[in-house]
Amino acid sequence: MKVKRQALEAGDVLIEDIYGKTQRPIMRKETVLEKQHLEVLEAFFIDEVPIDPKRVDKENASGKNEPDQRPNSSFVESYLRVVEQFKDCFRNWQSGEKINIHELRGFLIPLLEEAVEQRDDIFSLHYYVPQSDYLYHHAVSTAALAAFLAKEMSYSKGDWLQIGLAGALCDCGMAKVSLSFLKNKGTPSVREQEEIRQHPVYSYQMLKLIPALQEGVRLAASQHHEREDGSGYPLSIRGEQMHPFSKIVAVADSFHAMTCERPYREKFSPFQAIDIMKEEQFGCYSLVVLETLSKAVLRLSVGTKVRLTNHQLGEIIFIHPHKPTKPLVRLDQNGEIIALAERSDLAIDTILT
């Protein structure tokens, strides 16, 4: 839906590229608007832009602009509220405070209970991540994804809640790392990368004395960057040495990171991310967890409307059983049939229906 510039708010998500009087877009689709974006739109005299219809509604049922009185019932609203609460906690950890697990559980558990029932929304959370707040969004999204995957794998509620907590806390050790590279918006230096690679160790140290957490949560925090083939860090252990919780969090952590916009890494659609994890990074992740993720994301069927990475709209007309992320798509614009399995430059970006 199109929204007037004056009604836009930080956190709204573009669903199309925005052009000024230029050949190249001044803003890319899926940009999460921040204050500086709104100023650019004004400078280019752009009156309205297309926004994700899942945006937080600015008006209540009466149509009056009363943001403080609007209901906070939707999953996205709950998610964004929890991100802000998690941000406050993380900043306290940076100041040297210990983790208050009771406070964390108080606002995170209700979200996890909601997230496991929100299959459609849970795989679109990357749309709401501004680069400036990536760490906090990543923690909450990883928690939601990890809990969802664990429930899909038939873990008990007690366990999938603990796995969700592991997802939220796996990067808590980043509070002990200098985050100057995020402010500089550049690729971390070699020294910074070495420091970052120690954050799983710091995470374990911050969690080891919290009795309310299962040992699997602490191990997931220390092992979520380890890989099945021994190529991970900090200890380069192999899959048989990894705790089952760690394998779930590793997939959730990597998947969400790949789908988010960051200044020093390319962003991928959820479908591209799955292909990369299955093919280019074959052997790195638990096949059981990865297959659970694939089945959850790829709820594709013939007749499904999709948007491709080149912005074209189309309809799935055939799904190859061995390459479900690369079906045949008939374009709406001209009826052309695209075999995505033969097009390395194209992929499904979003399921529309």
Side-chain angles (χ1 to χ4, degrees):
M1 66 180 182
K2 288 198 172 183
V3 176
K4 292 291 186 181
R5 188 186 71 240
Q6 293 82 356
L8 293 171
E9 290 184 355
D12 287 339
V13 182
L14 297 178
I15 56 174
E16 294 178 12
D17 289 345
I18 304 300
Y19 293 82
K21 295 180 179 180
T22 58
Q23 293 183 339
R24 302 184 64 182
I26 60 173
M27 291 182 200
R28 292 289 185 182
K29 73 181 179 94
E30 297 179 8
T31 295
V32 180
L33 297 181
E34 300 184 61
K35 181 180 178 181
Q36 62 268 31
H37 295 122
L38 303 182
E39 294 171 352
V40 170
L41 292 174
E42 182 177 6
F44 277 86
F45 301 102
I46 294 174
D47 293 327
E48 59 181 19
V49 295
I51 293 297
D52 188 332
K54 293 180 181 178
R55 67 200 292 269
V56 176
D57 193 0
K58 297 181 180 62
E59 298 183 357
N60 62 9
S62 67
K64 296 180 180 180
N65 187 14
E66 298 177 1
D68 292 336
Q69 298 179 24
R70 63 174 182 258
N72 293 318
S73 58
S74 77
F75 176 67
V76 171
E77 286 176 317
S78 299
Y79 163 77
L80 293 174
R81 186 169 59 251
V82 169
V83 168
E84 289 302 311
Q85 292 172 295
F86 185 87
K87 183 195 295 188
D88 291 339
C89 290
F90 189 89
R91 289 176 172 172
N92 289 338
W93 305 337
Q94 287 179 304
S95 300
E97 290 189 19
K98 294 181 179 180
I99 294 174
N100 184 335
I101 195 63
H102 300 294
E103 176 187 9
L104 189 73
R105 286 176 59 93
F107 62 75
L108 190 60
I109 294 299
L111 182 75
L112 298 181
E113 292 175 331
E114 190 176 358
V116 297
E117 305 297 335
Q118 300 293 332
R119 181 190 299 266
D120 292 335
D121 286 333
I122 204 173
F123 290 108
S124 63
L125 293 180
H126 60 285
Y127 290 133
Y128 302 93
V129 184
Q131 291 184 15
S132 58
D133 282 352
Y134 168 77
L135 275 177
Y136 321 117
H137 280 266
H138 180 62
V140 178
S141 292
T142 299
L145 283 166
F148 174 83
L149 292 174
K151 187 172 186 292
E152 291 288 295
M153 294 171 66
S154 300
Y155 277 82
S156 68
K157 182 175 182 179
D159 280 347
W160 61 250
L161 285 175
Q162 288 281 314
I163 292 168
L165 287 171
L169 292 167
C170 65
D171 283 343
C172 66
M174 291 293 286
K176 308 303 180 184
V177 172
S178 171
L179 301 179
S180 58
F181 70 94
L182 292 177
K183 297 178 182 178
N184 297 332
K185 296 186 177 181
T187 302
S189 66
V190 173
R191 181 178 179 180
E192 287 171 329
Q193 290 181 42
E194 290 176 351
E195 186 179 7
I196 292 169
R197 287 168 71 92
Q198 291 301 306
H199 82 268
V201 177
Y202 301 147
S203 295
Y204 182 84
Q205 292 172 343
M206 292 171 67
L207 300 176
K208 66 181 180 181
L209 297 180
I210 301 178
L213 297 176
Q214 293 183 20
E215 180 65 8
V217 175
R218 290 185 275 272
L219 290 175
S222 65
Q223 296 176 354
H224 68 287
H225 282 293
E226 303 288 0
R227 297 294 178 254
E228 295 282 329
D229 59 3
S231 63
Y233 65 87
L235 300 177
S236 298
I237 62 175
R238 291 184 170 272
E240 62 271 15
Q241 299 169 289
M242 294 175 65
H243 192 279
F245 288 12
S246 306
K247 299 185 180 192
I248 296 173
V249 174
V251 169
D253 173 75
S254 295
F255 176 77
H256 183 258
M258 287 183 190
T259 60
C260 289
E261 189 76 49
R262 286 187 285 174
Y264 54 90
R265 287 186 183 174
E266 185 178 359
K267 173 184 177 179
F268 300 100
S269 75
F271 308 95
Q272 290 172 307
I274 288 175
D275 282 341
I276 291 170
M277 295 172 79
K278 280 188 168 183
E279 298 171 12
E280 295 180 25
Q281 299 178 358
F282 178 77
C284 290
Y285 303 97
S286 163
L287 293 179
V288 175
V289 181
L290 198 52
E291 190 60 27
T292 302
L293 172 66
S294 298
K295 288 179 179 179
V297 175
L298 304 175
R299 297 184 300 110
L300 306 183
S301 61
V302 172
T304 298
K305 290 287 187 179
V306 296
R307 183 173 65 219
L308 303 181
T309 49
N310 65 355
H311 315 315
Q312 290 182 302
L313 303 180
E315 179 181 319
I316 294 174
I317 61 173
F318 177 76
I319 299 172
H320 194 290
H322 301 300
K323 294 186 177 181
T325 61
K326 300 176 180 178
L328 292 181
V329 176
R330 180 190 290 118
L331 300 181
D332 290 351
Q333 184 177 11
N334 55 18
E336 179 185 357
I337 295 176
I338 303 292
L340 294 180
E342 300 173 4
R343 294 287 300 272
S344 60
D345 60 318
L346 273 183
I348 292 175
D349 181 70
T350 306
I351 294 177
L352 300 177
T353 58

